[in-house]
Every structure is written in structure tokens, then in C-alpha cells.
Amino acid sequence: MPGVHDDAVAIATELTRLRRAIHAEPEIGLDLPRTQRKVLDALDGLPLEITLGESLSSVTAVLRGGKPGPTVLLRGDMDALPVTERTGLSYASTIDGVMHACGHDLHTAMLAGAARLLSARQAELAGNVIFMFQPGEEGPGGGRIMVEEGVLDAAGERPVAAYALHVASSLLPLGLVASKAGTVMAAADTLHVTVHGRGGHGSQPHQAADPIPVACEIVLALQTMVTRQFDVFDPVVLTVGTFHAGTVDNVIPDEAHFVATIRSFSPQARAAVQKAAPRVATGIASAHGLTATAEFRDGYPVTVNHADELAFAEQTVTSVLGDGRYVAAPNPLTGSEDFSYVLEQVPGAFLMLGACAPDADPFTAPFNHSAEAVFDDAVLADGTALYAELALRRLAAS
């Protein structure tokens, strides 16, 4: 039988067709009926046990190998972003205001291709593979919901390892794979702060209790807090993204409200900032005779690669794609990932795969989430082969 990578190259045209069809009809969030249908059509005829999500448009497919052995999970996310595409591609989004700006269309096509390659090798497969086609990575937390609905137990036993790939439209040259042991992606939480004052006439602030300067002081104090109370080697990133107060220039409002995203890289730092930030907000408001409410809303946990599984993935990349195709990332990414919910319960690895066009500069090309982000289809065969080989080799090694 030809090698896995050779087989992936042989179906690259079909994978490209699937990827572009998904790209042209992007869907947001947890309800992706058109994308789910495309995945089911791509899996049709394969010897898979398929389960659809109850509260989201997920697809869980189990391939049972011809030999006894454990279970491995492969994840591919399927949802798009609320972005108006400006790439000018022939297969650009046909849905106004929605775009596959993060490359999840490639992940979906790769995982469907891996299901096909592994199904052809079912007899030699020493165990089971769970294919996790996941909606709602971009915010709603589809990974958490799929875990709650039992994706980890779909084969009847917990996986011994789990792997996910994520393409990058810049930073990494085409075909290069990067990751690191330990924390690889940040936790992402939001802080909602409302300063409660007393409105009045803009010409007589002493007759009111102005919440705006107090809210501004809190914003600046939070920036100082993360530099003074947190270890530079276990940092916290806090960015205020929205600030709303007032209606006209000569009216002091009753309230000022802002929302911040907070990124942390360890459970310890995450817990500490969740205590410190509200204390700063309420304390400053109190010092000015006002009150403030500060509410944390949990986002995705820290994404942590298991050292042994990452070492195995690195060996697999080198063996399948060649020497020099894996690089160790020096630092975690400040983005977040809901594959973290899987890695909290199953050892595994999250890998980045360069999909920057070869004629573009990876350091200046538009990055993921940009309306101009372009992902090269040339990585589809590599990603498909890598998914399949991670499962094959990990099961064989058990």
C-alpha cells in the first residue's frame, strides 16, 4: 500500500474542493447545518460510527481498528468568524459579514481526509480513532459542550492521546509546524466593570458624582497592576477593548462601563488576576466615594501540551514531512483555544501549521482573523497526512 502522505497527495484535489466549498458558505457559532452536511457527505461510505451533537452541529465519528488497542482523538474545528472577506479569492465567502478568517475550513477538510486515509487502513489500525468535528471554537466553547456531551467516551473508553492542528496565514512559512511543551496558548477571560455614580450637569461636576474619571483611573490602575503584581515570566495581558459612558458633552452620566480581555498563561496567574482585578476596581471607586461592580466571565482555560505527547508529535512531523519541518516555539501564543477542554482531561498536543502562501512574507502577511487572511491549499495534504500518522503511530506505540 502506498504511504500515507502519498495517499494524502493523491486526494489533495478533492480536499481542496471540500475546503473551498466550506469556505464559500461559512457559518458562525454552534449551529452549522450546511457545514455539518458537507462533513457528513465527505464521510459517507466510510466504516465510521457517527453521532451528531444534541445542542450543536457537531459530528463525532469513531473508526474501530481491526486490531485491539487504545483510542486516539483528532480534533478539527469548523466555525467561521463575523468578518467581511476582502481577499478577492474566486471561492470567497458568499455570506455577507461571515468569513473563514481563521482557517477552520482547512482543519475540517484535513480531518475528513484523515478519516478517509485511516479507514483505508482499518485492518492494520491497532485501536480506535475518534474524529471530533467541532463547531463554536470562536467564542461559544463548542469544545466544552462536546466534552459534556461525551465525545471523549465515544469509543467506549477515554483516549490515551488527543491532537489538534491549526493553520496560520502568517508568522510561519508554508508547511512549517511549530509548538512547545507546557503552556502553548493563553487562557482568555473577560472583565466587565461598571462604575456607579450620580449624574448631573457638565458645568457643575461638584453637584454630581462623575463615574467617567473614576473609570479611567481604574483602567490605568489595572495596567499598572499587571506589571507590578505578576511575575514577568508568568505574565498577564489585560486590554480594555470597550469603554462606554454618557450621551452628550454637557451631561455627566450615572454610569461608566468598560470590558477588558485578560490573558494568562498558568492556572495560578489566572486565579490571582481574577481576585486582584475586581479588588482594584472596587477599591478605586470606593476611594472616590462611588461604587463599582466588577464581574469576571470565564473564557477558555490555558491550553497545555503534554511533554511526552509533544515529543511524539515532533518525531512524527519529522518522519512524515521531513527534517527541518518542525520548530520549537520559544513562547506561548497569546490567543486562546477551546481544545484546552480536551487537554484538561486527555494528554495531547496542539500544533500550528504554516499556511502562508509561498509568494508572501510570513512576517507581513495578514494574520488569522484578518479580512485579508489567505491560507494556501498546498498544506492540505501535509495536514491530512499528519493527522492520520499521529493516530496510526500513537496507536502502534501503545
Side-chain angles (χ1 to χ4, degrees), residues 118-154:
L118 290 172
S119 292
R121 292 165 170 78
Q122 184 179 24
E124 68 183 79
L125 198 65
N128 311 311
V129 182
I130 300 172
F131 301 93
M132 178 181 176
F133 292 90
Q134 179 212 309
E137 191 281 324
E138 297 290 356
R144 174 184 55 80
I145 297 172
M146 288 191 72
V147 169
E148 291 172 353
E149 290 192 357
V151 67
L152 300 182
D153 300 305

Side-chain angles (χ1 to χ4, degrees), residues 354-390:
C356 180
D359 58 349
D361 182 350
F363 296 102
T364 59
F367 190 51
N368 294 24
H369 290 216
S370 167
E372 299 173 349
V374 174
F375 303 86
D376 198 312
D377 288 325
V379 300
L380 288 170
D382 284 352
T384 297
L386 189 52
Y387 265 134
E389 288 279 19
L390 284 167

Side-chain angles (χ1 to χ4, degrees), residues 128-194:
N128 311 311
V129 182
I130 300 172
F131 301 93
M132 178 181 176
F133 292 90
Q134 179 212 309
E137 191 281 324
E138 297 290 356
R144 174 184 55 80
I145 297 172
M146 288 191 72
V147 169
E148 291 172 353
E149 290 192 357
V151 67
L152 300 182
D153 300 305
E157 61 182 12
R158 283 294 170 100
V160 295
Y163 306 102
L165 302 180
H166 202 301
V167 293
S169 61
S170 64
L171 299 182
L172 287 173
L174 181 66
L176 202 65
V177 179
S179 194
K180 67 179 296 295
T183 298
V184 67
M185 299 280 278
D189 302 303
T190 55
L191 173 68
H192 295 250
V193 175
T194 301

